[in-house]
Amino acid sequence: MKETKYIVILLLVFHWLSVPVLGQEANESGRIRVMSFNIRYGEARDGENHWVHRKETVIETIMNYLPDVLGTQETLEFQAQYLSENLADYTYVGRARQADGQGEHVGILFRTERFDKLIEGHFWLSENPDQPGSKSWDSSLPRMVTWLKLWDRKNGRSFYVVNTHFDHRGSQARAESAALIRAFVASLPEDAPVIIMGDFNAAIGSEPYRNLFGQREDSLAIADTFAETHADPDEQSGTFNHFRGENAGARIDWIGVTSEFSTIEADIDRFNLDGRYPSDHYPVNAEIEFADVDAPEESGR
């Protein structure tokens, strides 16, 4: 009986020690782990899949991967608060999409010990992007972008993070939104490293996908990290799972990077607990590094 107790204690100690070791490994490397995760609208009438029944699994999913930068979609204020309280090593940045401060965020979390926030910004996916709550084209709801400029203490470099969620009904709105985000990225300082992620509600090869990742006159190169690392990126790669573990649909959740980054690996995270999924979307992950890893550190921020 005593031997059994000792074994249990040793296993618990190993588990407790393994968590900071994994986190330390992620931070000791100059690579950046990125996760994009539609955590599902917290007030949806999802029955046994309601937020209260799966919020702990959302945290477990995130901690399993230990991203350095995390973008979330469909995040209500109380969900953002829960993430902040239960991901103590991260700083959360986000705001509601409605003009009155209500509605969903497209929040960004980053490791507080590794990164400094230099600039925070938001704009709306409309013909009046600086107007909170605005919508245009055939969009059914206001949609927005949250973006940050971060300073990476590990690499002595700065980079940008862009997080978004496209409209689920308006096909023109999705196409125009992709073009607007591409224009925003093109407007940033030349050679600025940029990560673009989100729920784009569009399939690979669609007009929004081409507008973001295709070749254009601006000469901007944005790579789809999943396509970069998979020989057949469309095979069984659906990211909307209906809480049922499906994977035959479209890959609508993407992580893109400009050419200043190289993709090491990318994947779709299908973690579940006995068939219970943390969201109706799979999170998508990518591990990236600065393409010129031997470049000297920036002299300023």
Side-chain angles (χ1 to χ4, degrees):
M1 186 67 176
K2 288 183 178 179
E3 290 181 356
T4 302
K5 287 183 178 179
Y6 290 144
I7 291 171
V8 170
I9 291 170
L10 287 171
L11 288 172
L12 288 171
V13 169
F14 176 79
H15 172 73
W16 291 332
L17 291 175
S18 69
V19 172
V21 167
L22 287 172
Q24 187 179 15
E25 287 177 354
N27 281 327
E28 285 181 353
S29 168
R31 296 176 179 179
I32 301 171
R33 290 182 177 180
V34 183
M35 172 183 276
S36 181
F37 194 179
N38 182 326
I39 63 171
R40 176 63 171 165
Y41 183 71
E43 293 181 347
R45 297 177 180 178
D46 288 329
E48 63 180 7
N49 293 310
H50 189 276
W51 172 252
V52 297
H53 302 306
R54 57 185 177 82
K55 60 184 181 180
E56 294 177 356
T57 312
V58 167
I59 298 299
E60 185 171 355
T61 303
I62 294 167
M63 294 305 295
N64 283 344
Y65 186 65
L66 288 171
D68 297 302
V69 179
L70 164 66
T72 66
Q73 301 89 37
E74 295 194 20
T75 312
L76 295 176
E77 182 64 37
F78 68 86
Q79 292 173 291
Q81 185 66 30
Y82 182 82
L83 294 176
S84 296
E85 291 172 354
N86 289 276
L87 297 170
D89 293 337
Y90 294 81
T91 298
Y92 180 88
V93 177
R95 63 144 292 163
R97 66 189 181 189
Q98 303 285 359
D100 61 2
Q102 301 297 312
E104 300 172 14
H105 301 198
V106 282
I108 299 173
L109 297 98
F110 60 88
R111 283 189 174 277
T112 310
E113 288 190 358
R114 176 167 178 176
F115 304 107
D116 293 321
K117 183 182 72 173
L118 302 182
I119 307 173
E120 170 187 344
H122 313 270
F123 63 88
W124 278 256
L125 297 172
S126 76
E127 295 174 304
N128 300 290
D130 295 328
Q131 181 180 333
S134 60
K135 63 177 185 175
S136 299
W137 312 298
D138 54 355
S139 185
S140 62
L141 296 163
R143 300 287 182 171
M144 67 175 295
V145 165
T146 289
W147 63 272
L148 302 177
K149 183 179 183 182
L150 296 178
W151 174 261
D152 182 356
R153 299 192 194 107
K154 177 58 61 178
N155 287 293
R157 306 280 294 275
S158 62
F159 64 97
Y160 292 84
V161 183
V162 176
N163 185 32
T164 192
H165 186 186
F166 284 5
D167 197 72
H168 63 304
R169 293 183 179 174
S171 58
Q172 182 187 0
R174 289 192 293 270
E176 297 286 356
S177 295
L180 187 61
I181 288 176
R182 186 184 181 95
F184 170 74
V185 174
S187 74
L188 296 174
E190 187 176 1
D191 300 327
V194 186
I195 301 167
I196 306 105
M197 58 182 160
D199 172 2
F200 295 86
N201 275 313
I204 307 310
S206 64
E207 187 176 1
Y209 186 88
R210 297 194 305 272
N211 284 351
L212 188 61
F213 295 112
Q215 293 184 346
R216 292 291 183 271
E217 293 180 358
D218 57 22
S219 73
L220 179 66
I222 302 175
D224 172 358
T225 56
F226 190 85
E228 288 276 289
T229 54
H230 291 76
D232 188 354
D234 296 327
E235 180 66 24
Q236 297 293 302
S237 60
T239 56
F240 182 65
N241 64 52
H242 296 89
F243 287 115
R244 296 193 293 268
E246 299 174 5
N247 62 7
R251 180 164 61 87
I252 63 176
D253 300 88
W254 314 331
I255 297 174
V257 292
T258 57
S259 57
E260 289 73 28
F261 284 116
S262 296
T263 303
I264 307 303
E265 60 183 11
D267 210 348
I268 299 167
D269 189 340
R270 297 188 174 91
F271 173 75
N272 66 91
L273 294 175
D274 298 322
R276 299 294 299 274
Y277 289 84
S279 175
D280 61 348
H281 283 246
Y282 297 118
V284 293
N285 303 328
E287 188 170 3
I288 62 175
E289 66 182 2
F290 290 100
D292 53 345
V293 291
D294 296 325
E297 293 187 352
E298 295 177 18
S299 59
R301 302 186 184 185

